[in-house]
Amino acid sequence: MSKNQTHNRWRQSEAAQGLFLISPTFIFCTVLLAIPLGLVLALSFWTQNYLELDKTLTLANYQTAWGEEIYQTLMGRSLKISACVTILTVLLAYPVAYFVSFHIKPKHKAMWIFLITIPFWTSYLMRIFLWKVILGYNGVVNGSLIGAGLIEKPLSFILYNQNAVVLTLGHAWLPFAILPIFVALEKIDHSLLEAAQDLGEGPIRRFLRVTLPLSMPGVLAATVIVFIPTIGDYVTPRLVGGPNGLMISNMIELQFKKANNAPLGAALAVSAMVIVSVISLIFVWLNRKYLKAR
Amino acid sequence: MLKSITPLKIYILFFLVFLYAPAILLPIFAFNDSAIVAFPLKGFTTEWFGVLWETEALHSAAKNSFIIAITTAILSTLLGMLAARANARYKFPMQRPMMGLIMLPMVLPEIIVGVSLLVVILQLGFDLSLWTIILGHVLICTPFCIAILSSAFMNLDQSLEEASFDLGQTRLATFWLITVPLVMPGLISSLLISFTISLDEFIIAFFLAGTEPTLPVYIWGQLRFPQRLPSLMALGTLLLAVSLVLLILAEYFRRRGARKTGTTDTGGFL
């Protein structure tokens, strides 16, 4: 076989065609995502001297990011808020996913999922701002509670603190938690549920021993999809968080923009990403192990 | 639905109220005849929409946003189509890691995407412009396009393409005459979704905007001024209406696509 023929055969092979088709998208993502992420990683080991970048490798930024109290506080608080948001969203989302999957006729399911995703597409900034209106001192919640005679003075613990951040972020991420759980519930073979019933399991035990374990992959996906990105939100903390509700992303933004210390910002960003990824991986691994053991 | 009221149904009702609270309040305050965004309501007015009409800075921001959203929709749908087709139709080495990188922005915090692009653009010495925002938006929209288009390509009956080959059509002609029309509803749905995401995106746009702001960046700047809030509510209402129309269209085309390829589906966009 001549070299030319081999070349032609390869060009017409599955692999070559697939690689050829995917290459524009892949190159785009390499240039604008993989390389930039690499550069941020490199930047976190450099230092900023006023306008000049000093490219000698150093761990100084990480020493600051992990050593100084303000960054420790912000990181700890961000992880706590993200964890609370994740738990809240998954707990709120599960019954909804369950309801749509088990109590809605198949032909209406698509419409329900559409209904659940609509609020997610309304202007992100306006949505956060409206939570400020709802939770504020003269807001909807306080107004109605006073109107109903339940309280005399407006509640002040619901806005400009971490509770408000958790609630607003939770609201924003609900659809992302519902969808994976819904997909997992849809995949459950209903004959398994009938079998459990025939073997004398009550509805609660049947749910705990059959439905819940079988839907765990969806719960895991929801957890990761919500937990990782919430650490990166700096708009919600800024609008509804007040001084004690700021998160690590507000500091990252500050370092990259006003404080003009991009290397420290990069070190903070890399640290935050590494921490959330490690936590997510451990969580997924624990669940896999636990579910396999059953 | 109402035949039996169970705790689950009561919960769903509260949940829907919670989910829709901001979306319902937005138009209420947009038409409220008061300079303060708070209850009690004062009466009906369309004054705040009139204010929008007279604000020049808003018009240029809207124009920028539309240019960015249209370009983003076209580019990310094209890139998404190539990747979705390659992934659905072919097996090739490094397929999973490659798709993993392309889909990564779906779970990556947007601030990381924004920061890393900002670093590269400044290092290369380029100026921030509408194009830098477009690049960032294409990056985050492409995974959504792939998610929509994958199901369209997966459901495609390959025997139709083979029939076209057998009848003597070239690869390219087959693609245009057979494949594209069959996945057209998916393509339209993908265009509309990426347009909507780009129109509303703030975090990346805020990092990558130069002197020309997009609509969300403009709104962010105005949120500090209490007297501007009612007109922002009006603006938000208009944006909500635009998004709703686009989403209903997208959903319509996605379902038509599912019918065309003969599958029943229950999923949403994601």
Side-chain angles (χ1 to χ4, degrees), chain B residues 57-71:
Chain B
L58 171 68
H59 297 173
S60 63
K63 205 183 97 195
N64 292 339
S65 267
F66 277 97
I67 293 172
I68 291 171
I70 291 169
T71 319

Side-chain angles (χ1 to χ4, degrees), chain A residues 276-289:
Chain A
V276 287
S277 309
V278 167
I279 293 177
S280 304
L281 284 176
I282 292 175
F283 182 72
V284 170
W285 178 75
L286 279 178
N287 271 284
R288 286 245 173 94
K289 204 179 148 190

